[in-house]
mmCIF file of all heavy atoms in Angstrom:
data_model
loop_
_atom_site.group_PDB
_atom_site.id
_atom_site.type_symbol
_atom_site.label_atom_id
_atom_site.label_comp_id
_atom_site.label_asym_id
_atom_site.label_seq_id
_atom_site.Cartn_x
_atom_site.Cartn_y
_atom_site.Cartn_z
ATOM 1 N N ALA A 101 6.416 9.244 -4.980
ATOM 2 C CA ALA A 101 5.422 10.436 -4.799
ATOM 3 C C ALA A 101 4.152 10.112 -5.630
ATOM 4 O O ALA A 101 3.010 10.354 -5.193
ATOM 5 C CB ALA A 101 6.072 11.668 -5.190
ATOM 6 N N LEU A 102 4.346 9.618 -6.771
ATOM 7 C CA LEU A 102 3.154 9.258 -7.683
ATOM 8 C C LEU A 102 2.292 8.233 -7.101
ATOM 9 O O LEU A 102 1.066 8.378 -6.994
ATOM 10 C CB LEU A 102 3.696 8.815 -9.031
ATOM 11 C CG LEU A 102 2.632 8.460 -10.084
ATOM 12 C CD1 LEU A 102 2.065 9.758 -10.732
ATOM 13 C CD2 LEU A 102 3.167 7.586 -11.162
ATOM 14 N N ILE A 103 2.873 7.164 -6.603
ATOM 15 C CA ILE A 103 2.149 6.056 -6.023
ATOM 16 C C ILE A 103 1.448 6.588 -4.759
ATOM 17 O O ILE A 103 0.312 6.200 -4.554
ATOM 18 C CB ILE A 103 3.171 4.908 -5.732
ATOM 19 C CG1 ILE A 103 3.573 4.277 -7.032
ATOM 20 C CG2 ILE A 103 2.472 3.821 -4.859
ATOM 21 C CD1 ILE A 103 4.734 3.326 -6.950
ATOM 22 N N GLY A 104 2.168 7.336 -3.945
ATOM 23 C CA GLY A 104 1.523 7.774 -2.698
ATOM 24 C C GLY A 104 0.307 8.700 -3.001
ATOM 25 O O GLY A 104 -0.691 8.682 -2.258
ATOM 26 N N ARG A 105 0.425 9.487 -4.032
ATOM 27 C CA ARG A 105 -0.720 10.447 -4.378
ATOM 28 C C ARG A 105 -1.881 9.729 -5.156
ATOM 29 O O ARG A 105 -2.955 10.071 -4.898
ATOM 30 C CB ARG A 105 -0.237 11.519 -5.230
ATOM 31 C CG ARG A 105 -1.195 12.599 -5.599
ATOM 32 C CD ARG A 105 -0.495 13.850 -6.056
ATOM 33 N NE ARG A 105 -1.447 14.813 -6.386
ATOM 34 C CZ ARG A 105 -1.982 15.665 -5.615
ATOM 35 N NH1 ARG A 105 -1.760 15.623 -4.310
ATOM 36 N NH2 ARG A 105 -2.920 16.545 -6.040
ATOM 37 N N TYR A 106 -1.492 8.753 -5.905
ATOM 38 C CA TYR A 106 -2.618 8.192 -6.812
ATOM 39 C C TYR A 106 -3.067 6.711 -6.538
ATOM 40 O O TYR A 106 -3.864 6.239 -7.342
ATOM 41 C CB TYR A 106 -2.232 8.371 -8.270
ATOM 42 C CG TYR A 106 -2.199 9.830 -8.722
ATOM 43 C CD1 TYR A 106 -0.998 10.476 -8.999
ATOM 44 C CD2 TYR A 106 -3.414 10.544 -8.854
ATOM 45 C CE1 TYR A 106 -0.980 11.798 -9.306
ATOM 46 C CE2 TYR A 106 -3.335 11.911 -9.182
ATOM 47 C CZ TYR A 106 -2.245 12.482 -9.469
ATOM 48 O OH TYR A 106 -2.129 13.719 -9.760
ATOM 49 N N THR A 107 -2.476 6.095 -5.647
ATOM 50 C CA THR A 107 -2.894 4.600 -5.424
ATOM 51 C C THR A 107 -4.321 4.581 -5.062
ATOM 52 O O THR A 107 -4.927 3.565 -5.632
ATOM 53 C CB THR A 107 -1.914 4.055 -4.189
ATOM 54 O OG1 THR A 107 -0.596 4.168 -4.606
ATOM 55 C CG2 THR A 107 -2.486 2.721 -3.861
ATOM 56 N N ALA A 108 -4.872 5.445 -4.302
ATOM 57 C CA ALA A 108 -6.319 5.326 -3.896
ATOM 58 C C ALA A 108 -7.239 5.407 -5.145
ATOM 59 O O ALA A 108 -8.181 4.639 -5.328
ATOM 60 C CB ALA A 108 -6.668 6.364 -2.873
ATOM 61 N N LEU A 109 -6.844 6.321 -6.045
ATOM 62 C CA LEU A 109 -7.575 6.484 -7.260
ATOM 63 C C LEU A 109 -7.551 5.240 -8.179
ATOM 64 O O LEU A 109 -8.537 4.695 -8.629
ATOM 65 C CB LEU A 109 -7.114 7.714 -8.089
ATOM 66 C CG LEU A 109 -7.604 7.798 -9.510
ATOM 67 C CD1 LEU A 109 -9.118 8.187 -9.446
ATOM 68 C CD2 LEU A 109 -6.933 8.856 -10.316
ATOM 69 N N VAL A 110 -6.370 4.700 -8.382
ATOM 70 C CA VAL A 110 -6.154 3.533 -9.229
ATOM 71 C C VAL A 110 -6.802 2.267 -8.639
ATOM 72 O O VAL A 110 -7.518 1.465 -9.263
ATOM 73 C CB VAL A 110 -4.623 3.298 -9.352
ATOM 74 C CG1 VAL A 110 -4.370 1.926 -10.041
ATOM 75 C CG2 VAL A 110 -3.972 4.370 -10.199
ATOM 76 N N TYR A 111 -6.616 2.049 -7.263
ATOM 77 C CA TYR A 111 -7.294 1.044 -6.618
ATOM 78 C C TYR A 111 -8.798 1.068 -6.702
ATOM 79 O O TYR A 111 -9.516 0.023 -7.005
ATOM 80 C CB TYR A 111 -6.888 1.018 -5.126
ATOM 81 C CG TYR A 111 -7.574 0.013 -4.320
ATOM 82 C CD1 TYR A 111 -6.880 -1.374 -4.191
ATOM 83 C CD2 TYR A 111 -8.769 0.103 -3.727
ATOM 84 C CE1 TYR A 111 -7.454 -2.372 -3.552
ATOM 85 C CE2 TYR A 111 -9.317 -0.963 -2.981
ATOM 86 C CZ TYR A 111 -8.719 -2.191 -2.854
ATOM 87 O OH TYR A 111 -9.322 -3.188 -2.209
ATOM 88 N N THR A 112 -9.334 2.282 -6.522
ATOM 89 C CA THR A 112 -10.862 2.416 -6.585
ATOM 90 C C THR A 112 -11.374 2.044 -7.951
ATOM 91 O O THR A 112 -12.354 1.293 -8.131
ATOM 92 C CB THR A 112 -11.217 3.870 -6.217
ATOM 93 O OG1 THR A 112 -10.825 4.037 -4.930
ATOM 94 C CG2 THR A 112 -12.783 4.008 -6.275
ATOM 95 N N ILE A 113 -10.745 2.467 -8.985
ATOM 96 C CA ILE A 113 -11.128 2.215 -10.370
ATOM 97 C C ILE A 113 -11.045 0.664 -10.625
ATOM 98 O O ILE A 113 -12.114 0.165 -11.157
ATOM 99 C CB ILE A 113 -10.273 3.033 -11.420
ATOM 100 C CG1 ILE A 113 -10.548 4.480 -11.303
ATOM 101 C CG2 ILE A 113 -10.465 2.433 -12.841
ATOM 102 C CD1 ILE A 113 -9.588 5.357 -12.094
ATOM 103 N N ILE A 114 -10.040 0.121 -10.284
ATOM 104 C CA ILE A 114 -9.829 -1.331 -10.545
ATOM 105 C C ILE A 114 -10.861 -2.121 -9.760
ATOM 106 O O ILE A 114 -11.549 -3.064 -10.301
ATOM 107 C CB ILE A 114 -8.339 -1.839 -10.305
ATOM 108 C CG1 ILE A 114 -7.391 -1.196 -11.338
ATOM 109 C CG2 ILE A 114 -8.263 -3.333 -10.296
ATOM 110 C CD1 ILE A 114 -5.910 -1.396 -11.143
ATOM 111 N N ARG A 115 -11.007 -1.766 -8.515
ATOM 112 C CA ARG A 115 -11.981 -2.422 -7.594
ATOM 113 C C ARG A 115 -13.287 -2.316 -8.133
ATOM 114 O O ARG A 115 -14.149 -3.289 -8.184
ATOM 115 C CB ARG A 115 -11.869 -1.881 -6.202
ATOM 116 C CG ARG A 115 -12.888 -2.442 -5.266
ATOM 117 C CD ARG A 115 -12.041 -3.474 -4.380
ATOM 118 N NE ARG A 115 -12.879 -4.056 -3.312
ATOM 119 C CZ ARG A 115 -13.111 -5.345 -3.263
ATOM 120 N NH1 ARG A 115 -12.548 -6.190 -3.972
ATOM 121 N NH2 ARG A 115 -13.813 -5.860 -2.267
ATOM 122 N N ASN A 116 -13.710 -1.183 -8.676
ATOM 123 C CA ASN A 116 -15.015 -0.929 -9.131
ATOM 124 C C ASN A 116 -15.312 -1.635 -10.489
ATOM 125 O O ASN A 116 -16.366 -2.131 -10.771
ATOM 126 C CB ASN A 116 -15.365 0.534 -9.467
ATOM 127 C CG ASN A 116 -15.536 1.329 -8.093
ATOM 128 O OD1 ASN A 116 -15.758 0.703 -7.071
ATOM 129 N ND2 ASN A 116 -15.362 2.570 -8.147
ATOM 130 N N LYS A 117 -14.350 -1.791 -11.350
ATOM 131 C CA LYS A 117 -14.393 -2.453 -12.612
ATOM 132 C C LYS A 117 -14.334 -3.978 -12.468
ATOM 133 O O LYS A 117 -15.021 -4.635 -13.144
ATOM 134 C CB LYS A 117 -13.325 -1.991 -13.637
ATOM 135 C CG LYS A 117 -13.359 -0.443 -13.880
ATOM 136 C CD LYS A 117 -14.416 -0.175 -14.837
ATOM 137 C CE LYS A 117 -14.465 1.290 -15.121
ATOM 138 N NZ LYS A 117 -15.655 1.711 -15.732
ATOM 139 N N ALA A 118 -13.431 -4.465 -11.609
ATOM 140 C CA ALA A 118 -13.103 -5.876 -11.632
ATOM 141 C C ALA A 118 -13.364 -6.627 -10.240
ATOM 142 O O ALA A 118 -13.109 -7.777 -10.194
ATOM 143 C CB ALA A 118 -11.699 -6.135 -12.040
ATOM 144 N N GLY A 119 -13.638 -5.833 -9.266
ATOM 145 C CA GLY A 119 -13.661 -6.373 -7.859
ATOM 146 C C GLY A 119 -14.665 -7.503 -7.673
ATOM 147 O O GLY A 119 -14.312 -8.460 -6.920
ATOM 148 N N ALA A 120 -15.713 -7.515 -8.369
ATOM 149 C CA ALA A 120 -16.743 -8.610 -8.195
ATOM 150 C C ALA A 120 -16.237 -9.931 -8.668
ATOM 151 O O ALA A 120 -16.638 -10.994 -8.359
ATOM 152 C CB ALA A 120 -17.996 -8.270 -8.942
ATOM 153 N N TYR A 121 -15.164 -9.899 -9.669
ATOM 154 C CA TYR A 121 -14.784 -11.150 -10.236
ATOM 155 C C TYR A 121 -13.322 -11.452 -9.921
ATOM 156 O O TYR A 121 -12.835 -12.538 -10.214
ATOM 157 C CB TYR A 121 -14.835 -11.002 -11.829
ATOM 158 C CG TYR A 121 -16.232 -10.584 -12.312
ATOM 159 C CD1 TYR A 121 -16.623 -9.309 -12.597
ATOM 160 C CD2 TYR A 121 -17.246 -11.607 -12.320
ATOM 161 C CE1 TYR A 121 -17.866 -8.968 -13.002
ATOM 162 C CE2 TYR A 121 -18.506 -11.307 -12.758
ATOM 163 C CZ TYR A 121 -18.806 -9.972 -13.041
ATOM 164 O OH TYR A 121 -20.095 -9.640 -13.385
ATOM 165 N N CYS A 122 -12.537 -10.550 -9.292
ATOM 166 C CA CYS A 122 -11.205 -10.788 -8.924
ATOM 167 C C CYS A 122 -10.948 -10.708 -7.511
ATOM 168 O O CYS A 122 -11.597 -10.072 -6.677
ATOM 169 C CB CYS A 122 -10.417 -9.717 -9.598
ATOM 170 S SG CYS A 122 -10.482 -9.704 -11.383
ATOM 171 N N SER A 123 -9.910 -11.456 -7.064
ATOM 172 C CA SER A 123 -9.567 -11.521 -5.659
ATOM 173 C C SER A 123 -8.770 -10.128 -5.302
ATOM 174 O O SER A 123 -8.337 -9.437 -6.129
ATOM 175 C CB SER A 123 -8.610 -12.703 -5.380
ATOM 176 O OG SER A 123 -7.360 -12.455 -6.027
ATOM 177 N N GLU A 124 -8.643 -9.960 -4.056
ATOM 178 C CA GLU A 124 -7.819 -8.851 -3.473
ATOM 179 C C GLU A 124 -6.398 -8.822 -4.025
ATOM 180 O O GLU A 124 -5.884 -7.688 -4.434
ATOM 181 C CB GLU A 124 -7.946 -8.695 -2.033
ATOM 182 C CG GLU A 124 -7.336 -7.516 -1.432
ATOM 183 C CD GLU A 124 -8.233 -6.214 -1.716
ATOM 184 O OE1 GLU A 124 -9.471 -6.348 -1.948
ATOM 185 O OE2 GLU A 124 -7.580 -5.152 -1.712
ATOM 186 N N GLU A 125 -5.876 -9.898 -4.122
ATOM 187 C CA GLU A 125 -4.525 -10.185 -4.613
ATOM 188 C C GLU A 125 -4.475 -9.726 -6.106
ATOM 189 O O GLU A 125 -3.484 -9.075 -6.500
ATOM 190 C CB GLU A 125 -4.100 -11.651 -4.469
ATOM 191 C CG GLU A 125 -2.623 -11.903 -4.869
ATOM 192 C CD GLU A 125 -2.228 -13.304 -4.604
ATOM 193 O OE1 GLU A 125 -2.243 -13.741 -3.539
ATOM 194 O OE2 GLU A 125 -1.966 -14.045 -5.682
ATOM 195 N N ASP A 126 -5.452 -10.165 -6.845
ATOM 196 C CA ASP A 126 -5.501 -9.859 -8.278
ATOM 197 C C ASP A 126 -5.603 -8.283 -8.446
ATOM 198 O O ASP A 126 -4.951 -7.676 -9.315
ATOM 199 C CB ASP A 126 -6.677 -10.434 -9.027
ATOM 200 C CG ASP A 126 -6.479 -11.910 -9.210
ATOM 201 O OD1 ASP A 126 -5.338 -12.364 -9.248
ATOM 202 O OD2 ASP A 126 -7.569 -12.670 -9.067
ATOM 203 N N ILE A 127 -6.436 -7.624 -7.543
ATOM 204 C CA ILE A 127 -6.599 -6.199 -7.653
ATOM 205 C C ILE A 127 -5.324 -5.445 -7.282
ATOM 206 O O ILE A 127 -4.895 -4.564 -8.078
ATOM 207 C CB ILE A 127 -7.802 -5.700 -6.703
ATOM 208 C CG1 ILE A 127 -9.061 -6.285 -7.292
ATOM 209 C CG2 ILE A 127 -7.829 -4.253 -6.612
ATOM 210 C CD1 ILE A 127 -10.204 -6.188 -6.379
ATOM 211 N N GLU A 128 -4.708 -5.963 -6.300
ATOM 212 C CA GLU A 128 -3.372 -5.331 -5.790
ATOM 213 C C GLU A 128 -2.292 -5.467 -7.010
ATOM 214 O O GLU A 128 -1.543 -4.636 -7.276
ATOM 215 C CB GLU A 128 -2.845 -5.863 -4.560
ATOM 216 C CG GLU A 128 -3.692 -5.445 -3.329
ATOM 217 C CD GLU A 128 -3.391 -6.093 -2.074
ATOM 218 O OE1 GLU A 128 -2.416 -6.903 -2.040
ATOM 219 O OE2 GLU A 128 -4.106 -5.930 -1.029
ATOM 220 N N GLU A 129 -2.346 -6.580 -7.619
ATOM 221 C CA GLU A 129 -1.372 -6.798 -8.707
ATOM 222 C C GLU A 129 -1.645 -5.954 -9.893
ATOM 223 O O GLU A 129 -0.765 -5.423 -10.495
ATOM 224 C CB GLU A 129 -1.538 -8.343 -9.187
ATOM 225 C CG GLU A 129 -0.571 -8.697 -10.313
ATOM 226 C CD GLU A 129 -0.764 -10.121 -10.742
ATOM 227 O OE1 GLU A 129 -1.050 -11.002 -9.964
ATOM 228 O OE2 GLU A 129 -0.577 -10.237 -11.963
ATOM 229 N N ALA A 130 -3.014 -5.710 -10.126
ATOM 230 C CA ALA A 130 -3.375 -4.869 -11.153
ATOM 231 C C ALA A 130 -2.900 -3.390 -10.891
ATOM 232 O O ALA A 130 -2.511 -2.618 -11.735
ATOM 233 C CB ALA A 130 -4.840 -4.886 -11.453
ATOM 234 N N VAL A 131 -3.017 -2.980 -9.647
ATOM 235 C CA VAL A 131 -2.665 -1.602 -9.171
ATOM 236 C C VAL A 131 -1.051 -1.472 -9.445
ATOM 237 O O VAL A 131 -0.722 -0.451 -10.011
ATOM 238 C CB VAL A 131 -2.995 -1.402 -7.762
ATOM 239 C CG1 VAL A 131 -2.329 -0.116 -7.245
ATOM 240 C CG2 VAL A 131 -4.499 -1.314 -7.520
ATOM 241 N N SER A 132 -0.326 -2.505 -9.054
ATOM 242 C CA SER A 132 1.056 -2.468 -9.358
ATOM 243 C C SER A 132 1.428 -2.312 -10.866
ATOM 244 O O SER A 132 2.275 -1.549 -11.272
ATOM 245 C CB SER A 132 1.757 -3.683 -8.770
ATOM 246 O OG SER A 132 1.648 -3.680 -7.378
ATOM 247 N N ASP A 133 0.644 -3.120 -11.658
ATOM 248 C CA ASP A 133 0.844 -3.094 -13.088
ATOM 249 C C ASP A 133 0.616 -1.700 -13.706
ATOM 250 O O ASP A 133 1.193 -1.398 -14.671
ATOM 251 C CB ASP A 133 -0.067 -4.170 -13.769
ATOM 252 C CG ASP A 133 0.310 -5.560 -13.434
ATOM 253 O OD1 ASP A 133 1.402 -5.823 -12.955
ATOM 254 O OD2 ASP A 133 -0.510 -6.457 -13.667
ATOM 255 N N VAL A 134 -0.367 -1.008 -13.135
ATOM 256 C CA VAL A 134 -0.729 0.340 -13.608
ATOM 257 C C VAL A 134 0.514 1.230 -13.508
ATOM 258 O O VAL A 134 0.899 1.894 -14.463
ATOM 259 C CB VAL A 134 -1.954 0.945 -12.804
ATOM 260 C CG1 VAL A 134 -2.076 2.490 -13.228
ATOM 261 C CG2 VAL A 134 -3.174 0.189 -13.260
ATOM 262 N N PHE A 135 1.127 1.247 -12.291
ATOM 263 C CA PHE A 135 2.263 2.099 -12.143
ATOM 264 C C PHE A 135 3.492 1.640 -12.937
ATOM 265 O O PHE A 135 4.290 2.487 -13.467
ATOM 266 C CB PHE A 135 2.635 2.202 -10.662
ATOM 267 C CG PHE A 135 1.505 2.951 -9.919
ATOM 268 C CD1 PHE A 135 0.603 2.340 -9.110
ATOM 269 C CD2 PHE A 135 1.414 4.375 -10.030
ATOM 270 C CE1 PHE A 135 -0.357 3.067 -8.368
ATOM 271 C CE2 PHE A 135 0.438 5.065 -9.413
ATOM 272 C CZ PHE A 135 -0.488 4.355 -8.597
ATOM 273 N N ILE A 136 3.604 0.358 -13.069
ATOM 274 C CA ILE A 136 4.685 -0.093 -13.982
ATOM 275 C C ILE A 136 4.515 0.306 -15.366
ATOM 276 O O ILE A 136 5.369 0.761 -16.086
ATOM 277 C CB ILE A 136 4.834 -1.743 -13.868
ATOM 278 C CG1 ILE A 136 5.409 -2.022 -12.479
ATOM 279 C CG2 ILE A 136 5.733 -2.231 -14.974
ATOM 280 C CD1 ILE A 136 5.223 -3.427 -12.144
ATOM 281 N N SER A 137 3.239 0.152 -15.892
ATOM 282 C CA SER A 137 2.943 0.547 -17.231
ATOM 283 C C SER A 137 3.103 2.052 -17.431
ATOM 284 O O SER A 137 3.690 2.520 -18.490
ATOM 285 C CB SER A 137 1.509 0.169 -17.585
ATOM 286 O OG SER A 137 1.203 0.492 -18.829
ATOM 287 N N PHE A 138 2.743 2.881 -16.441
ATOM 288 C CA PHE A 138 2.874 4.327 -16.491
ATOM 289 C C PHE A 138 4.465 4.653 -16.680
ATOM 290 O O PHE A 138 4.767 5.377 -17.543
ATOM 291 C CB PHE A 138 2.282 4.960 -15.265
ATOM 292 C CG PHE A 138 2.539 6.486 -15.207
ATOM 293 C CD1 PHE A 138 1.699 7.269 -15.893
ATOM 294 C CD2 PHE A 138 3.716 6.997 -14.674
ATOM 295 C CE1 PHE A 138 1.846 8.640 -15.842
ATOM 296 C CE2 PHE A 138 3.875 8.393 -14.580
ATOM 297 C CZ PHE A 138 3.042 9.201 -15.208
ATOM 298 N N TYR A 139 5.221 4.042 -15.860
ATOM 299 C CA TYR A 139 6.683 4.230 -15.865
ATOM 300 C C TYR A 139 7.230 3.789 -17.183
ATOM 301 O O TYR A 139 8.158 4.632 -17.777
ATOM 302 C CB TYR A 139 7.368 3.565 -14.605
ATOM 303 C CG TYR A 139 8.816 3.900 -14.709
ATOM 304 C CD1 TYR A 139 9.238 5.094 -14.177
ATOM 305 C CD2 TYR A 139 9.814 2.931 -15.085
ATOM 306 C CE1 TYR A 139 10.657 5.379 -14.074
ATOM 307 C CE2 TYR A 139 11.143 3.266 -15.061
ATOM 308 C CZ TYR A 139 11.557 4.501 -14.554
ATOM 309 O OH TYR A 139 12.797 4.837 -14.535
ATOM 310 N N ASN A 140 6.835 2.670 -17.665
ATOM 311 C CA ASN A 140 7.430 2.178 -18.981
ATOM 312 C C ASN A 140 7.022 2.988 -20.160
ATOM 313 O O ASN A 140 7.594 3.011 -21.152
ATOM 314 C CB ASN A 140 6.967 0.723 -19.231
ATOM 315 C CG ASN A 140 7.669 -0.237 -18.331
ATOM 316 O OD1 ASN A 140 8.713 0.037 -17.705
ATOM 317 N ND2 ASN A 140 7.027 -1.380 -18.009
ATOM 318 N N ASN A 141 5.875 3.779 -20.068
ATOM 319 C CA ASN A 141 5.404 4.558 -21.100
ATOM 320 C C ASN A 141 5.546 6.142 -20.831
ATOM 321 O O ASN A 141 4.788 6.973 -21.262
ATOM 322 C CB ASN A 141 3.938 4.309 -21.446
ATOM 323 C CG ASN A 141 3.858 2.946 -21.977
ATOM 324 O OD1 ASN A 141 4.307 2.685 -23.121
ATOM 325 N ND2 ASN A 141 3.248 2.025 -21.186
ATOM 326 N N LEU A 142 6.429 6.411 -19.851
ATOM 327 C CA LEU A 142 6.693 7.793 -19.460
ATOM 328 C C LEU A 142 6.802 8.782 -20.500
ATOM 329 O O LEU A 142 6.447 9.889 -20.421
ATOM 330 C CB LEU A 142 7.855 7.857 -18.407
ATOM 331 C CG LEU A 142 8.050 9.071 -17.542
ATOM 332 C CD1 LEU A 142 6.811 9.349 -16.707
ATOM 333 C CD2 LEU A 142 9.240 8.786 -16.658
ATOM 334 N N SER A 143 7.573 8.331 -21.579
ATOM 335 C CA SER A 143 7.905 9.280 -22.676
ATOM 336 C C SER A 143 6.601 9.683 -23.385
ATOM 337 O O SER A 143 6.614 10.760 -24.143
ATOM 338 C CB SER A 143 8.735 8.550 -23.670
ATOM 339 O OG SER A 143 8.224 7.416 -24.140
ATOM 340 N N ASN A 144 5.489 9.009 -23.308
ATOM 341 C CA ASN A 144 4.272 9.368 -23.855
ATOM 342 C C ASN A 144 3.420 10.339 -23.074
ATOM 343 O O ASN A 144 2.401 10.810 -23.547
ATOM 344 C CB ASN A 144 3.374 8.067 -24.234
ATOM 345 C CG ASN A 144 4.121 7.156 -25.124
ATOM 346 O OD1 ASN A 144 4.807 7.582 -26.030
ATOM 347 N ND2 ASN A 144 3.911 5.881 -25.008
ATOM 348 N N VAL A 145 3.851 10.565 -21.892
ATOM 349 C CA VAL A 145 2.996 11.501 -21.008
ATOM 350 C C VAL A 145 3.186 12.909 -21.355
ATOM 351 O O VAL A 145 4.244 13.321 -21.342
ATOM 352 C CB VAL A 145 3.329 11.195 -19.466
ATOM 353 C CG1 VAL A 145 2.589 12.101 -18.644
ATOM 354 C CG2 VAL A 145 3.117 9.758 -19.076
ATOM 355 N N ASP A 146 2.043 13.481 -21.684
ATOM 356 C CA ASP A 146 2.104 15.035 -22.095
ATOM 357 C C ASP A 146 1.012 15.684 -21.267
ATOM 358 O O ASP A 146 -0.206 15.580 -21.547
ATOM 359 C CB ASP A 146 1.841 15.098 -23.598
ATOM 360 C CG ASP A 146 1.787 16.558 -24.081
ATOM 361 O OD1 ASP A 146 1.992 17.503 -23.220
ATOM 362 O OD2 ASP A 146 1.475 16.712 -25.329
#
């Protein structure tokens, strides 16, 4: 549910910040890393 709702936001941010220097594969990997990092730090979400 989280990924479905927020993937576009996360993708847009990463694309805007790093897209000129990174490949599409790198951007997609970073998007995945965002959700993994969120899940790993779930206890810190308030």
Side-chain angles (χ1 to χ4, degrees):
L102 180 78
I103 291 167
R105 183 162 178 86
Y106 292 108
T107 295
L109 171 69
V110 171
Y111 179 88
T112 301
I113 290 169
I114 293 172
R115 180 101 175 122
N116 287 341
K117 300 281 183 200
Y121 304 99
C122 295
S123 70
E124 189 64 28
E125 183 179 297
D126 290 329
I127 293 169
E128 290 172 6
E129 180 182 327
V131 169
S132 296
D133 290 347
V134 168
F135 290 107
I136 291 168
S137 180
F138 177 86
Y139 184 76
N140 289 338
N141 294 293
L142 193 59
S143 61
N144 296 329
V145 177
D146 179 2

